[in-house]
Amino acid sequence: MKMLIDKIKLRLLLEKKRDYIRHPVDGIDILIAAIVYVVSLMCSDFKSVFGIDEKIIETLAWVFAVVILIYGLYRMVKSFCHRYNHELLYQDIENLDEVLHKFSVIGIKDYYNEFANRFLLYYDDAWKCWFFFSFHTSEVQNEENMIQRLSHKLKINPKYIKVQYISDRIQPKFSEKDKINKVYQHSLYQGIIAQFPENMKQDEFEIDGIRYRWWTIEEMEAEPRIMEVNSDVVSYVKEKIR
């Protein structure tokens, strides 16, 4: 099961719990053992063993002590240089985010009709398909960003455009373009236009060389190319926007 976590709330939680996120000092046990060993060497009298001269045994013992001391110091310095804290934990959690493609999808209905039941789609020449409006989700001022972009595309004063958040959904999907599975976070909005220009009241029209057309959900579901490329978004809009 996938979960959406608010990044601001996560950071606040980690700030509160920062004193509980501890990193043990690695190597201190080795260093203590080495110090005890050195003290014992200083208090020892070396004697010949198996014919080996006591000076050789003493030298080997001190070499071993120095090696342990150096290794303990190395482990402890490395531990201090790579301390783990709440900031590093936040980065690790953030790197687990599999939502690589975040889009805001906008469903605009033909509210100039008494019984609005159609959505405005645009035609993408590269994909050879009709799509709902969708923009990369912005981390800041996402709604204002969408309003400005809709205003630019449809040539409508932004004061007559409103977007209303509906819901979020995470969907794995096979990308035909890249031939791999991707994970998408679709934020669904309902677009409301207060005043429709006369040209937009036609069943199909063109602005700046881009074709637009009003579609019912049933018409989309009957169009093979739409269902091949974008059936997940069609079903999402069908479920959430009445």
Side-chain angles (χ1 to χ4, degrees):
M1 180 180 71
K2 296 181 181 295
M3 296 183 294
L4 288 175
I5 300 176
D6 187 291
K7 290 185 178 181
I8 295 177
K9 292 181 180 178
L10 173 60
R11 182 171 286 280
L12 288 174
L13 175 62
L14 292 178
E15 287 287 348
K16 289 180 181 178
K17 303 297 183 180
R18 61 188 301 175
D19 293 336
Y20 299 97
I21 301 173
R22 301 186 183 277
H23 178 63
V25 180
D26 190 22
I28 193 168
D29 53 340
I30 299 174
L31 198 58
I32 292 173
I35 292 172
V36 172
Y37 180 59
V38 168
V39 171
S40 67
L41 288 180
M42 295 174 66
C43 300
S44 298
D45 292 326
F46 293 92
K47 295 181 180 179
S48 175
V49 178
F50 302 118
I52 303 174
D53 187 87
E54 64 266 20
K55 291 295 183 180
I56 296 177
I57 295 175
E58 183 179 2
T59 301
L60 290 173
W62 278 105
V63 168
F64 183 64
V66 171
V67 169
I68 296 176
L69 275 170
I70 293 174
Y71 181 65
L73 283 170
Y74 165 76
R75 291 284 295 271
M76 192 165 66
V77 171
K78 184 179 178 181
S79 173
F80 275 109
C81 291
H82 297 86
R83 291 185 68 82
Y84 198 75
N85 56 31
H86 68 294
E87 288 290 341
L88 294 174
L89 178 58
Y90 176 81
Q91 292 175 19
D92 286 343
I93 293 173
E94 194 174 41
N95 289 335
L96 293 175
D97 185 9
E98 294 183 338
V99 182
L100 303 179
H101 307 278
K102 301 180 181 182
F103 288 92
S104 293
V105 179
I106 309 168
I108 299 175
K109 296 189 76 171
D110 57 341
Y111 284 119
Y112 58 86
N113 283 322
E114 183 179 359
F115 301 104
N117 69 334
R118 298 182 300 174
F119 291 90
L120 186 60
L121 307 186
Y122 74 94
Y123 188 75
D124 188 301
D125 289 314
W127 283 86
K128 307 297 182 186
C129 184
W130 294 89
F131 289 97
F132 285 93
F133 288 96
S134 66
F135 306 111
H136 284 284
T137 300
S138 174
E139 294 294 331
V140 293
Q141 296 184 323
N142 188 46
E143 294 185 7
E144 181 61 29
N145 176 61
M146 288 187 289
I147 289 173
Q148 293 299 325
R149 297 188 69 173
L150 286 173
S151 171
H152 176 74
K153 287 181 175 294
L154 299 175
K155 309 305 179 191
I156 300 175
N157 192 311
K159 70 180 182 180
Y160 297 129
I161 302 175
K162 183 172 72 172
V163 291
Q164 180 180 339
Y165 173 77
I166 303 297
S167 70
D168 271 271
R169 177 174 290 178
I170 294 179
Q171 296 174 302
K173 182 179 179 181
F174 181 76
S175 171
E176 286 194 357
K177 180 180 179 181
D178 299 323
K179 303 301 180 184
I180 59 172
N181 288 313
K182 294 183 178 181
V183 180
Y184 293 83
Q185 178 184 328
H186 287 140
S187 301
L188 181 61
Y189 291 81
Q190 182 166 6
I192 301 171
I193 298 176
Q195 292 186 18
F196 284 89
E198 288 302 316
N199 66 315
M200 286 186 62
K201 296 179 181 180
Q202 301 175 41
D203 291 341
E204 188 170 336
F205 56 93
E206 186 174 308
I207 301 175
D208 289 343
I210 299 176
R211 294 165 57 197
Y212 297 91
R213 178 177 167 184
W214 295 99
W215 292 73
T216 65
I217 292 294
E218 291 74 17
E219 288 171 336
M220 297 179 212
E221 292 176 331
E223 173 56 48
R225 181 58 179 165
I226 292 179
M227 298 310 290
E228 177 186 6
V229 174
N230 218 28
S231 61
D232 56 329
V233 174
V234 172
S235 63
Y236 189 24
V237 173
K238 179 181 181 180
E239 176 188 342
K240 296 296 184 179
I241 301 180
R242 302 297 181 181

PDB file of all heavy atoms in Angstrom, residues 23 28-29 31-32 44 46 49 93 104 127 132 138 153 159 167 178 203 205 213 235:
ATOM      1  N   HIS A  23      23.033   8.320  17.193  1.00  0.00           N
ATOM      2  CA  HIS A  23      24.000   7.545  16.430  1.00  0.00           C
ATOM      3  C   HIS A  23      25.128   7.136  17.367  1.00  0.00           C
ATOM      4  O   HIS A  23      25.898   7.992  17.827  1.00  0.00           O
ATOM      5  CB  HIS A  23      24.545   8.382  15.272  1.00  0.00           C
ATOM      6  CG  HIS A  23      25.577   7.663  14.464  1.00  0.00           C
ATOM      7  ND1 HIS A  23      25.306   6.522  13.772  1.00  0.00           N
ATOM      8  CD2 HIS A  23      26.892   7.946  14.247  1.00  0.00           C
ATOM      9  CE1 HIS A  23      26.397   6.125  13.145  1.00  0.00           C
ATOM     10  NE2 HIS A  23      27.372   6.965  13.424  1.00  0.00           N
ATOM     11  N   ILE A  28      34.593   3.136  19.828  1.00  0.00           N
ATOM     12  CA  ILE A  28      35.034   3.503  21.186  1.00  0.00           C
ATOM     13  C   ILE A  28      35.340   2.251  22.015  1.00  0.00           C
ATOM     14  O   ILE A  28      36.244   2.262  22.858  1.00  0.00           O
ATOM     15  CB  ILE A  28      33.971   4.379  21.882  1.00  0.00           C
ATOM     16  CG1 ILE A  28      34.577   5.013  23.132  1.00  0.00           C
ATOM     17  CG2 ILE A  28      32.700   3.595  22.189  1.00  0.00           C
ATOM     18  CD1 ILE A  28      33.718   6.102  23.736  1.00  0.00           C
ATOM     19  N   ASP A  29      34.610   1.154  21.747  1.00  0.00           N
ATOM     20  CA  ASP A  29      34.875  -0.084  22.474  1.00  0.00           C
ATOM     21  C   ASP A  29      36.253  -0.641  22.122  1.00  0.00           C
ATOM     22  O   ASP A  29      36.994  -1.148  22.987  1.00  0.00           O
ATOM     23  CB  ASP A  29      33.787  -1.127  22.183  1.00  0.00           C
ATOM     24  CG  ASP A  29      33.574  -1.347  20.689  1.00  0.00           C
ATOM     25  OD1 ASP A  29      33.958  -0.457  19.894  1.00  0.00           O
ATOM     26  OD2 ASP A  29      33.005  -2.390  20.322  1.00  0.00           O
ATOM     27  N   LEU A  31      38.775   1.181  21.079  1.00  0.00           N
ATOM     28  CA  LEU A  31      39.769   2.099  21.653  1.00  0.00           C
ATOM     29  C   LEU A  31      39.979   1.832  23.132  1.00  0.00           C
ATOM     30  O   LEU A  31      41.120   1.841  23.628  1.00  0.00           O
ATOM     31  CB  LEU A  31      39.300   3.542  21.431  1.00  0.00           C
ATOM     32  CG  LEU A  31      40.348   4.644  21.562  1.00  0.00           C
ATOM     33  CD1 LEU A  31      41.498   4.418  20.587  1.00  0.00           C
ATOM     34  CD2 LEU A  31      39.719   6.000  21.340  1.00  0.00           C
ATOM     35  N   ILE A  32      38.887   1.565  23.862  1.00  0.00           N
ATOM     36  CA  ILE A  32      39.004   1.267  25.301  1.00  0.00           C
ATOM     37  C   ILE A  32      39.790  -0.025  25.510  1.00  0.00           C
ATOM     38  O   ILE A  32      40.672  -0.116  26.391  1.00  0.00           O
ATOM     39  CB  ILE A  32      37.610   1.173  25.937  1.00  0.00           C
ATOM     40  CG1 ILE A  32      36.948   2.557  25.945  1.00  0.00           C
ATOM     41  CG2 ILE A  32      37.700   0.607  27.353  1.00  0.00           C
ATOM     42  CD1 ILE A  32      35.509   2.538  26.399  1.00  0.00           C
ATOM     43  N   SER A  44      53.867  -5.319  32.264  1.00  0.00           N
ATOM     44  CA  SER A  44      54.266  -6.710  32.022  1.00  0.00           C
ATOM     45  C   SER A  44      55.782  -6.859  31.925  1.00  0.00           C
ATOM     46  O   SER A  44      56.495  -5.949  31.490  1.00  0.00           O
ATOM     47  CB  SER A  44      53.616  -7.210  30.727  1.00  0.00           C
ATOM     48  OG  SER A  44      52.215  -7.183  30.825  1.00  0.00           O
ATOM     49  N   PHE A  46      58.398  -9.286  29.997  1.00  0.00           N
ATOM     50  CA  PHE A  46      58.408 -10.231  28.882  1.00  0.00           C
ATOM     51  C   PHE A  46      59.535 -11.252  29.068  1.00  0.00           C
ATOM     52  O   PHE A  46      60.655 -10.907  29.474  1.00  0.00           O
ATOM     53  CB  PHE A  46      58.587  -9.474  27.566  1.00  0.00           C
ATOM     54  CG  PHE A  46      57.415  -8.593  27.222  1.00  0.00           C
ATOM     55  CD1 PHE A  46      57.394  -7.253  27.630  1.00  0.00           C
ATOM     56  CD2 PHE A  46      56.334  -9.100  26.531  1.00  0.00           C
ATOM     57  CE1 PHE A  46      56.317  -6.441  27.333  1.00  0.00           C
ATOM     58  CE2 PHE A  46      55.256  -8.287  26.220  1.00  0.00           C
ATOM     59  CZ  PHE A  46      55.235  -6.958  26.625  1.00  0.00           C
ATOM     60  N   VAL A  49      59.858 -17.204  24.991  1.00  0.00           N
ATOM     61  CA  VAL A  49      58.889 -18.293  24.843  1.00  0.00           C
ATOM     62  C   VAL A  49      59.240 -19.089  23.590  1.00  0.00           C
ATOM     63  O   VAL A  49      59.407 -18.500  22.506  1.00  0.00           O
ATOM     64  CB  VAL A  49      57.449 -17.761  24.739  1.00  0.00           C
ATOM     65  CG1 VAL A  49      56.461 -18.907  24.543  1.00  0.00           C
ATOM     66  CG2 VAL A  49      57.098 -16.949  25.965  1.00  0.00           C
ATOM     67  N   ILE A  93      14.174   9.303   3.603  1.00  0.00           N
ATOM     68  CA  ILE A  93      12.737   9.071   3.409  1.00  0.00           C
ATOM     69  C   ILE A  93      12.282   9.707   2.106  1.00  0.00           C
ATOM     70  O   ILE A  93      11.515   9.117   1.342  1.00  0.00           O
ATOM     71  CB  ILE A  93      11.937   9.630   4.595  1.00  0.00           C
ATOM     72  CG1 ILE A  93      12.256   8.831   5.868  1.00  0.00           C
ATOM     73  CG2 ILE A  93      10.434   9.574   4.304  1.00  0.00           C
ATOM     74  CD1 ILE A  93      11.642   9.413   7.125  1.00  0.00           C
ATOM     75  N   SER A 104      -1.215  17.584 -12.482  1.00  0.00           N
ATOM     76  CA  SER A 104      -2.529  18.070 -12.088  1.00  0.00           C
ATOM     77  C   SER A 104      -3.435  17.995 -13.306  1.00  0.00           C
ATOM     78  O   SER A 104      -3.161  18.631 -14.328  1.00  0.00           O
ATOM     79  CB  SER A 104      -2.438  19.519 -11.578  1.00  0.00           C
ATOM     80  OG  SER A 104      -1.720  19.575 -10.362  1.00  0.00           O
ATOM     81  N   TRP A 127       0.943  12.512 -29.978  1.00  0.00           N
ATOM     82  CA  TRP A 127       0.339  11.286 -29.472  1.00  0.00           C
ATOM     83  C   TRP A 127      -0.818  10.797 -30.342  1.00  0.00           C
ATOM     84  O   TRP A 127      -1.285   9.673 -30.163  1.00  0.00           O
ATOM     85  CB  TRP A 127      -0.162  11.500 -28.051  1.00  0.00           C
ATOM     86  CG  TRP A 127       0.928  11.486 -27.014  1.00  0.00           C
ATOM     87  CD1 TRP A 127       1.693  12.536 -26.624  1.00  0.00           C
ATOM     88  CD2 TRP A 127       1.360  10.367 -26.251  1.00  0.00           C
ATOM     89  NE1 TRP A 127       2.581  12.145 -25.657  1.00  0.00           N
ATOM     90  CE2 TRP A 127       2.399  10.816 -25.399  1.00  0.00           C
ATOM     91  CE3 TRP A 127       0.980   9.034 -26.193  1.00  0.00           C
ATOM     92  CZ2 TRP A 127       3.061   9.977 -24.523  1.00  0.00           C
ATOM     93  CZ3 TRP A 127       1.633   8.194 -25.302  1.00  0.00           C
ATOM     94  CH2 TRP A 127       2.662   8.659 -24.476  1.00  0.00           C
ATOM     95  N   PHE A 132      -7.327  15.322 -21.560  1.00  0.00           N
ATOM     96  CA  PHE A 132      -7.729  16.342 -20.608  1.00  0.00           C
ATOM     97  C   PHE A 132      -6.556  17.314 -20.428  1.00  0.00           C
ATOM     98  O   PHE A 132      -5.395  16.952 -20.650  1.00  0.00           O
ATOM     99  CB  PHE A 132      -8.059  15.728 -19.249  1.00  0.00           C
ATOM    100  CG  PHE A 132      -9.378  15.013 -19.198  1.00  0.00           C
ATOM    101  CD1 PHE A 132      -9.448  13.644 -19.454  1.00  0.00           C
ATOM    102  CD2 PHE A 132     -10.549  15.697 -18.890  1.00  0.00           C
ATOM    103  CE1 PHE A 132     -10.654  12.983 -19.409  1.00  0.00           C
ATOM    104  CE2 PHE A 132     -11.764  15.037 -18.843  1.00  0.00           C
ATOM    105  CZ  PHE A 132     -11.823  13.680 -19.103  1.00  0.00           C
ATOM    106  N   SER A 138       2.985  21.852  -9.500  1.00  0.00           N
ATOM    107  CA  SER A 138       3.965  22.764  -8.933  1.00  0.00           C
ATOM    108  C   SER A 138       3.933  22.661  -7.413  1.00  0.00           C
ATOM    109  O   SER A 138       2.871  22.506  -6.810  1.00  0.00           O
ATOM    110  CB  SER A 138       3.653  24.208  -9.368  1.00  0.00           C
ATOM    111  OG  SER A 138       4.515  25.120  -8.723  1.00  0.00           O
ATOM    112  N   LYS A 153      -3.827  29.475 -22.759  1.00  0.00           N
ATOM    113  CA  LYS A 153      -4.203  28.547 -23.816  1.00  0.00           C
ATOM    114  C   LYS A 153      -5.579  28.861 -24.404  1.00  0.00           C
ATOM    115  O   LYS A 153      -5.785  28.762 -25.618  1.00  0.00           O
ATOM    116  CB  LYS A 153      -4.173  27.101 -23.287  1.00  0.00           C
ATOM    117  CG  LYS A 153      -2.772  26.554 -23.075  1.00  0.00           C
ATOM    118  CD  LYS A 153      -2.826  25.125 -22.590  1.00  0.00           C
ATOM    119  CE  LYS A 153      -1.428  24.526 -22.498  1.00  0.00           C
ATOM    120  NZ  LYS A 153      -0.786  24.386 -23.824  1.00  0.00           N
ATOM    121  N   LYS A 159      -9.526  35.999 -14.319  1.00  0.00           N
ATOM    122  CA  LYS A 159     -10.527  36.261 -13.275  1.00  0.00           C
ATOM    123  C   LYS A 159     -11.803  35.458 -13.511  1.00  0.00           C
ATOM    124  O   LYS A 159     -12.620  35.304 -12.602  1.00  0.00           O
ATOM    125  CB  LYS A 159     -10.841  37.748 -13.180  1.00  0.00           C
ATOM    126  CG  LYS A 159     -11.617  38.323 -14.353  1.00  0.00           C
ATOM    127  CD  LYS A 159     -11.874  39.809 -14.160  1.00  0.00           C
ATOM    128  CE  LYS A 159     -12.687  40.397 -15.299  1.00  0.00           C
ATOM    129  NZ  LYS A 159     -12.937  41.847 -15.096  1.00  0.00           N
ATOM    130  N   SER A 167      -9.315  15.498  -5.680  1.00  0.00           N
ATOM    131  CA  SER A 167      -8.634  14.422  -4.942  1.00  0.00           C
ATOM    132  C   SER A 167      -7.291  14.099  -5.582  1.00  0.00           C
ATOM    133  O   SER A 167      -6.956  14.609  -6.656  1.00  0.00           O
ATOM    134  CB  SER A 167      -9.499  13.155  -4.899  1.00  0.00           C
ATOM    135  OG  SER A 167      -9.577  12.568  -6.192  1.00  0.00           O
ATOM    136  N   ASP A 178       8.129   5.571 -23.373  1.00  0.00           N
ATOM    137  CA  ASP A 178       9.412   5.090 -22.863  1.00  0.00           C
ATOM    138  C   ASP A 178       9.472   3.570 -22.717  1.00  0.00           C
ATOM    139  O   ASP A 178      10.525   3.019 -22.388  1.00  0.00           O
ATOM    140  CB  ASP A 178       9.712   5.747 -21.515  1.00  0.00           C
ATOM    141  CG  ASP A 178       9.820   7.266 -21.632  1.00  0.00           C
ATOM    142  OD1 ASP A 178      10.347   7.726 -22.651  1.00  0.00           O
ATOM    143  OD2 ASP A 178       9.368   7.968 -20.710  1.00  0.00           O
ATOM    144  N   ASP A 203     -18.922  22.749 -30.806  1.00  0.00           N
ATOM    145  CA  ASP A 203     -18.539  21.374 -30.451  1.00  0.00           C
ATOM    146  C   ASP A 203     -17.037  21.156 -30.616  1.00  0.00           C
ATOM    147  O   ASP A 203     -16.418  20.428 -29.846  1.00  0.00           O
ATOM    148  CB  ASP A 203     -19.304  20.371 -31.319  1.00  0.00           C
ATOM    149  CG  ASP A 203     -20.786  20.335 -30.988  1.00  0.00           C
ATOM    150  OD1 ASP A 203     -21.151  20.784 -29.888  1.00  0.00           O
ATOM    151  OD2 ASP A 203     -21.577  19.868 -31.823  1.00  0.00           O
ATOM    152  N   PHE A 205     -13.371  23.461 -31.834  1.00  0.00           N
ATOM    153  CA  PHE A 205     -12.832  24.762 -32.217  1.00  0.00           C
ATOM    154  C   PHE A 205     -11.304  24.714 -32.152  1.00  0.00           C
ATOM    155  O   PHE A 205     -10.714  23.713 -31.718  1.00  0.00           O
ATOM    156  CB  PHE A 205     -13.384  25.872 -31.308  1.00  0.00           C
ATOM    157  CG  PHE A 205     -13.139  25.651 -29.840  1.00  0.00           C
ATOM    158  CD1 PHE A 205     -12.024  26.183 -29.214  1.00  0.00           C
ATOM    159  CD2 PHE A 205     -14.047  24.909 -29.078  1.00  0.00           C
ATOM    160  CE1 PHE A 205     -11.799  25.975 -27.860  1.00  0.00           C
ATOM    161  CE2 PHE A 205     -13.825  24.697 -27.721  1.00  0.00           C
ATOM    162  CZ  PHE A 205     -12.706  25.234 -27.109  1.00  0.00           C
ATOM    163  N   ARG A 213     -12.121  20.033 -28.336  1.00  0.00           N
ATOM    164  CA  ARG A 213     -13.416  19.414 -28.620  1.00  0.00           C
ATOM    165  C   ARG A 213     -14.084  19.015 -27.312  1.00  0.00           C
ATOM    166  O   ARG A 213     -13.422  18.614 -26.356  1.00  0.00           O
ATOM    167  CB  ARG A 213     -13.232  18.171 -29.507  1.00  0.00           C
ATOM    168  CG  ARG A 213     -14.509  17.419 -29.826  1.00  0.00           C
ATOM    169  CD  ARG A 213     -14.219  16.253 -30.753  1.00  0.00           C
ATOM    170  NE  ARG A 213     -15.342  15.331 -30.834  1.00  0.00           N
ATOM    171  CZ  ARG A 213     -15.357  14.190 -31.504  1.00  0.00           C
ATOM    172  NH1 ARG A 213     -14.281  13.837 -32.194  1.00  0.00           N
ATOM    173  NH2 ARG A 213     -16.421  13.410 -31.503  1.00  0.00           N
ATOM    174  N   SER A 235     -11.342   7.149 -16.447  1.00  0.00           N
ATOM    175  CA  SER A 235     -12.103   6.500 -15.373  1.00  0.00           C
ATOM    176  C   SER A 235     -12.035   7.302 -14.076  1.00  0.00           C
ATOM    177  O   SER A 235     -13.004   7.347 -13.307  1.00  0.00           O
ATOM    178  CB  SER A 235     -11.576   5.081 -15.143  1.00  0.00           C
ATOM    179  OG  SER A 235     -10.219   5.098 -14.708  1.00  0.00           O
TER     180      SER A 235
END
